[in-house]
Amino acid sequence: MRLSYLCAMAAAIVLTFGLSVDARAANLGAANAFNGFIFGNLTSAGQDTEGRLAVGGNFTASNYGVGSGGIGPAVPITNPRTDVLVVGGDMNAQGGWQVFNGNAVWGTSLTAAPTTPSGVTYQGNPVNFAAAQADLTAKSTAWGALSTNASVVFDGFSTLTLTATSAGLNVFNVSESVWESTSNKQIVNAFPMATLLINILGTNVTQFGGMSYNGSSSPSAAHGGVLFNYPQATVVQTNNIAMLGSVLAPYAALTINGGGINGVGVAASAHQQNGGEFHNFTFTGDIPVVPEPTSLALAGLGLAAIAVKRRRA
């Protein structure tokens, strides 16, 4: 009976383990549905988020807008209406700016509400920020430990060229010092379905200058497979640079000083200034998640039990 129980448990573990690898592969979890996803507080004056925005802490902003599109597409109108702005703490929409094409949701308190001509403003908690933070910090750490398998060329002066070498996952590991010293960041990708994981390794990262994707500096859906990952950073600042891809900085206080993040932006906290914006492009990459040691151990136990059962049969 004990062996039968172990076998049943093993089958469940193996099935769960197999499914979890597929289900967890490669996306930004709950953040995938948003343009900006901040675990803590977000402050801003005069900027916007073109897509959906989720803020786990307090959100204080003036002359703002959410969901209107612009460089990227607007949030579409759905029925029932989409929660376009979700705030877990206090919502303070100074000046009564607008949320486009959907609802605004506040969590613990409401200081000032935005206008919602195509939706409603209500209290709720549709996003589990704690679970999302645990998921994305684990992914960032695991992905940051992957080895380089693509081409990283630094000319020693100002140009860094990152070239994809396969149609699958391309990993680039770049030190903070090299990343910060290059004003000309070139991304080259001849594989439309490839994923480009660019790990920036350092604790206090400032990025500036120009960035291009296949020779173009214009934001577009073409760079949806690019993810800039900052697994060690506690501070990330973008200075007048268009980041052509999504940004994962789960431990960092992110400052967008001019320019913009053209993809999903994930950070511990954030401040937007001088026109720094989130532009609504999605992350379409596929990055396998390294299984947790406990999952591997359980899977091993399950397989061992199955093997014992077969030997006794």
Side-chain angles (χ1 to χ4, degrees):
M1 182 175 180
R2 180 177 177 80
L3 185 58
S4 299
Y5 168 77
L6 284 174
C7 289
M9 182 179 71
I13 290 170
V14 172
L15 177 61
T16 301
F17 179 72
L19 289 176
S20 67
V21 171
D22 290 338
R24 293 172 59 201
N27 60 46
L28 298 178
N32 264 0
F34 293 86
N35 188 188
F37 197 96
I38 310 302
F39 304 138
N41 298 335
L42 172 63
T43 57
S44 181
Q47 283 67 232
D48 67 7
T49 297
E50 293 185 353
R52 296 176 68 200
L53 174 62
V55 180
N58 301 327
F59 179 38
T60 303
S62 58
N63 300 313
Y64 205 81
V66 181
S68 64
I71 292 176
V75 174
I77 294 179
T78 61
N79 191 15
R81 295 292 190 255
T82 301
D83 294 330
V84 176
L85 171 62
V86 178
V87 177
D90 179 68
M91 180 187 293
N92 186 358
Q94 298 172 345
W97 41 261
Q98 185 168 328
V99 170
F100 295 81
N101 301 342
N103 304 325
V105 187
W106 56 275
T108 59
S109 59
L110 176 63
T111 298
T115 60
T116 52
S118 299
V120 297
T121 299
Y122 72 95
Q123 184 179 21
N125 55 351
V127 174
N128 187 333
F129 286 99
Q133 184 172 15
D135 174 52
L136 290 167
T137 52
K139 286 177 176 178
S140 176
T141 299
W143 294 342
L146 297 176
S147 299
T148 297
N149 66 355
S151 174
V152 179
V153 178
F154 173 44
D155 70 354
F157 298 98
S158 63
T159 300
L160 175 67
T161 304
L162 307 175
T163 305
T165 55
S166 76
L169 175 62
N170 296 265
V171 180
F172 310 83
N173 289 307
V174 183
S175 69
E176 175 185 341
S177 60
V178 168
W179 189 251
E180 291 185 332
S181 66
T182 54
S183 58
N184 182 20
K185 299 172 175 64
Q186 302 178 353
I187 302 171
V188 181
N189 177 27
F191 308 96
M193 300 303 292
T195 300
L196 283 66
L197 172 64
I198 303 171
N199 291 319
I200 313 303
L201 304 177
T203 58
N204 191 326
V205 181
T206 300
Q207 46 215 1
F208 68 98
M211 179 178 292
S212 64
Y213 180 88
N214 287 343
S216 173
S217 59
S218 298
S220 74
H223 53 66
V226 178
L227 177 65
F228 301 96
N229 181 34
Y230 303 80
Q232 303 164 350
T234 55
V235 175
V236 174
Q237 179 159 329
T238 69
N239 287 334
N240 298 309
I241 183 172
M243 300 296 295
L244 301 181
S246 295
V247 167
L248 177 58
Y251 300 103
L254 170 67
T255 298
I256 309 174
N257 180 35
I261 294 175
N262 297 282
V264 180
V266 178
S269 64
H271 176 67
Q272 297 171 255
Q273 62 187 32
N274 298 325
E277 299 176 343
F278 293 99
H279 297 151
N280 193 23
F281 297 96
T282 58
F283 177 63
T284 59
D286 185 5
I287 311 174
V289 175
V290 178
E292 297 174 0
T294 53
S295 297
L296 287 173
L298 287 172
L301 173 64
L303 292 172
I306 291 173
V308 170
K309 174 71 174 177
R310 286 178 176 173
R311 283 199 300 270
R312 293 185 178 181

